[in-house]
């Protein structure tokens, strides 16, 4: 406002007398001159205004840059939002697919377990008439092991009833390389025609105890898969416990223990369950209570 008043003052004086800006020729009245510092203030105000205009221009330029950056960020955010929505959609579809796959894998695992059990059962049933002969020296069976076994087994086991009735379908050594210069012969595996003959042979072998051939021990075992052998072997401790306690038992095919205990016929597929049941049922009635029972008593 001060600058505009100064400009208006000098403009009026120039209009009255351009040649004598300080006085009037007509009236002769003296016009008061402006204060001596008015021109300096006007120059300083002009410089301040110029600085303000420059500052405003810089601020507007920065604001424009900021606006352009914000607009570009908005565009990028829109792109990111779209991509995030697509990623969430794909993630949801993936989770659904994974859930379906997990269900399918679980069903397949159950199917594989069932098929494995059926395969093991079929494999072991196909070996039900097989026997393993361990300790027979190499070459004693000659070129016809079937005829040798049919003739030799009745005399070895003292079973004259089988001398003319024992039928062996086939026989062969275990599929292992023959080790030279050693006294460890390969196992001889043979299949009998009748399952009853196998039971008679095993029963007679258990009855006779140690069998010898030319002063060398020979052993007869039932033929079974490795998995079934390990399962049946796990019942060794329970069978020994049953023998010590005079409990009648039988290890049924494929790996199931039957015991006649306290007037009950019980079956177990887990040796630990059978052992715990026998031990708990064999405790006397006047046995001291367990710490847990003592805590539960009033």
């Amino acid at each position: 406002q001060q600058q505009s008043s100064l400009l208006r003052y000098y403009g009026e004086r120039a209009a009255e007398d351009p040649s004598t800006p300080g006085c009037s020729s007509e009236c002769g009245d003296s016009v008061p001159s402006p204060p001596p510092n008015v021109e300096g203030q006007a120059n300083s105000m002009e410089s301040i205004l110029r600085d303000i205009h420059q500052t405003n221009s810089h601020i507007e330029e920065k604001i424009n840059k900021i606006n352009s950056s914000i607009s570009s960020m908005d565009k990028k955010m829109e792109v990111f939002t779209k991509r995030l929505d697509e990623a969430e959609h794909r993630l949801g579809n993936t989770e659904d697919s994974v859930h379906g796959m997990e269900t399918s894998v679980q069903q397949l695992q159950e199917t594989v377990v069932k098929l494995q059990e059926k395969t093991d059962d079929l494999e072991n049933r196909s070996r039900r008439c097989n026997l393993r002969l361990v300790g027979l020296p190499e070459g004693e069976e000659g070129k016809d092991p079937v005829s040798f076994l049919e003739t030799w087994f009745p005399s070895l086991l003292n079973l004259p009833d089988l001398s003319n009735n024992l039928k062996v379908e086939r026989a062969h050594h275990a599929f292992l390389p023959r080790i030279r210069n050693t006294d460890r012969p390969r196992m001889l595996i043979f299949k009998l025609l009748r399952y009853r003959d196998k039971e008679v042979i095993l029963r007679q072998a258990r009855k006779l105890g140690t069998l010898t051939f030319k002063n060398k021990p020979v052993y007869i075992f039932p033929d079974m898969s490795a998995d079934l052998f390990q399962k049946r072997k796990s019942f060794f401790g329970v069978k020994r416990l049953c023998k010590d306690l005079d409990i009648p038992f039988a290890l049924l095919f494929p790996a199931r223990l039957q015991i006649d205990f306290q007037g009950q016929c019980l079956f177990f597929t887990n040796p630990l369950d059978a052992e715990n049941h026998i031990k708990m049922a064999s405790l006397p009635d006047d046995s001291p209570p367990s710490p847990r029972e003592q805590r539960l008593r009033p």
Side-chain angles (χ1 to χ4, degrees), residues 12 29 75 81 97 108 150 171-172 221 245 266:
E12 290 176 357
D29 296 333
K75 293 179 180 179
T81 303
S97 301
L108 290 174
E150 290 177 349
H172 62 84
F221 300 101
L245 298 176
L266 305 176

Side-chain angles (χ1 to χ4, degrees), residues 188-297:
L188 186 66
I189 304 173
F190 58 96
K191 181 178 181 181
L192 299 172
L193 179 62
R194 290 179 292 270
Y195 178 76
R196 184 174 297 178
D197 294 342
K198 172 192 172 183
E199 294 296 321
V200 171
I201 291 173
L202 291 176
R203 191 180 302 112
Q204 185 68 11
R206 286 193 294 268
K207 181 179 178 181
L208 295 177
T210 304
L211 302 177
T212 59
F213 177 76
K214 293 183 179 181
N215 297 325
K216 292 184 179 180
V218 292
Y219 305 94
I220 302 174
F221 300 101
D223 185 29
M224 61 187 69
S225 63
D227 294 337
L228 181 58
F229 178 76
Q230 293 297 330
K231 290 180 181 178
R232 295 175 70 91
K233 186 179 179 181
S234 63
F235 285 93
F236 179 77
V238 185
K239 293 192 296 182
R240 182 180 293 275
L241 179 62
C242 292
K243 289 180 180 179
D244 295 339
L245 298 176
D246 294 330
I247 299 175
F249 70 93
L251 188 58
L252 305 178
F253 182 85
R256 189 173 59 156
L257 181 67
Q258 175 188 351
I259 60 175
D260 296 330
F261 188 64
Q262 297 180 352
Q264 295 181 348
C265 184
L266 305 176
F267 297 91
F268 298 93
T269 57
N270 190 345
L272 184 60
D273 295 340
E275 184 176 357
N276 291 335
H277 181 80
I278 294 173
K279 289 182 178 179
M280 293 298 296
S282 300
L283 292 176
D285 296 335
D286 56 350
S287 59
S290 62
R292 184 175 181 272
E293 294 177 348
Q294 293 178 359
R295 290 195 302 269
L296 295 177
R297 286 184 178 180

Side-chain angles (χ1 to χ4, degrees), residues 37-274:
N37 58 350
V38 172
E39 293 182 359
Q41 290 180 357
N43 293 330
S44 63
M45 292 300 296
E46 289 180 358
S47 62
I48 291 172
L49 288 175
R50 284 195 300 270
D51 294 339
I52 291 173
H53 286 303
Q54 291 178 358
T55 305
N56 290 336
S57 62
H58 286 300
I59 292 173
E60 290 178 356
E61 184 179 357
K62 298 294 184 182
I63 290 174
N64 293 332
K65 290 181 180 180
I66 293 172
N67 290 332
S68 61
S69 300
I70 292 173
S71 61
S72 63
M73 291 177 63
D74 291 337
K75 293 179 180 179
K76 291 180 180 180
M77 287 297 295
E78 290 179 359
V79 175
F80 291 155
T81 303
K82 292 180 179 179
R83 291 184 177 179
L84 182 61
D85 293 338
E86 293 178 357
E88 289 179 352
H89 181 69
R90 292 180 179 178
L91 182 61
N93 294 335
T94 304
E95 289 179 352
D96 296 337
S97 301
V98 169
H99 180 69
M101 292 175 64
E102 288 178 351
T103 305
S104 301
V105 169
Q106 185 178 2
Q107 294 175 355
L108 290 174
Q109 288 177 346
E110 294 175 357
T111 304
V112 167
V113 171
K114 292 180 180 179
L115 293 176
Q116 185 66 38
E117 292 177 353
K118 288 183 178 181
T119 303
D120 293 340
D121 183 69
L122 291 173
E123 180 182 358
N124 290 296
R125 287 185 183 275
S126 66
R127 299 185 180 190
R128 293 192 70 179
C129 294
N130 292 4
L131 287 175
R132 293 174 178 249
L133 181 61
V134 180
L136 183 67
E138 292 275 354
E140 291 293 336
E141 72 280 2
K143 295 182 179 180
D144 190 1
V146 173
S147 300
F148 171 78
L149 293 173
E150 290 177 349
T151 306
W152 176 63
F153 256 111
S155 60
L156 175 68
L157 299 174
N158 194 15
L159 293 174
D161 296 337
L162 291 179
S163 58
N164 297 322
N165 296 325
L166 184 62
K167 298 295 181 182
V168 179
E169 289 190 359
R170 56 182 177 268
H172 62 84
H173 282 286
F175 298 108
L176 296 173
R178 184 175 181 179
I179 303 176
R180 297 181 179 180
N181 300 327
T182 181
D183 294 335
R184 186 178 180 182
R186 292 178 296 174
M187 184 186 307
L188 186 66
I189 304 173
F190 58 96
K191 181 178 181 181
L192 299 172
L193 179 62
R194 290 179 292 270
Y195 178 76
R196 184 174 297 178
D197 294 342
K198 172 192 172 183
E199 294 296 321
V200 171
I201 291 173
L202 291 176
R203 191 180 302 112
Q204 185 68 11
R206 286 193 294 268
K207 181 179 178 181
L208 295 177
T210 304
L211 302 177
T212 59
F213 177 76
K214 293 183 179 181
N215 297 325
K216 292 184 179 180
V218 292
Y219 305 94
I220 302 174
F221 300 101
D223 185 29
M224 61 187 69
S225 63
D227 294 337
L228 181 58
F229 178 76
Q230 293 297 330
K231 290 180 181 178
R232 295 175 70 91
K233 186 179 179 181
S234 63
F235 285 93
F236 179 77
V238 185
K239 293 192 296 182
R240 182 180 293 275
L241 179 62
C242 292
K243 289 180 180 179
D244 295 339
L245 298 176
D246 294 330
I247 299 175
F249 70 93
L251 188 58
L252 305 178
F253 182 85
R256 189 173 59 156
L257 181 67
Q258 175 188 351
I259 60 175
D260 296 330
F261 188 64
Q262 297 180 352
Q264 295 181 348
C265 184
L266 305 176
F267 297 91
F268 298 93
T269 57
N270 190 345
L272 184 60
D273 295 340

Side-chain angles (χ1 to χ4, degrees), residues 3-18:
Q3 185 180 10
S4 60
S5 62
L6 290 173
L7 292 175
R8 189 162 51 262
Y9 171 78
Y10 283 113
E12 290 176 357
R13 293 298 299 163
E16 290 177 358
D17 190 5

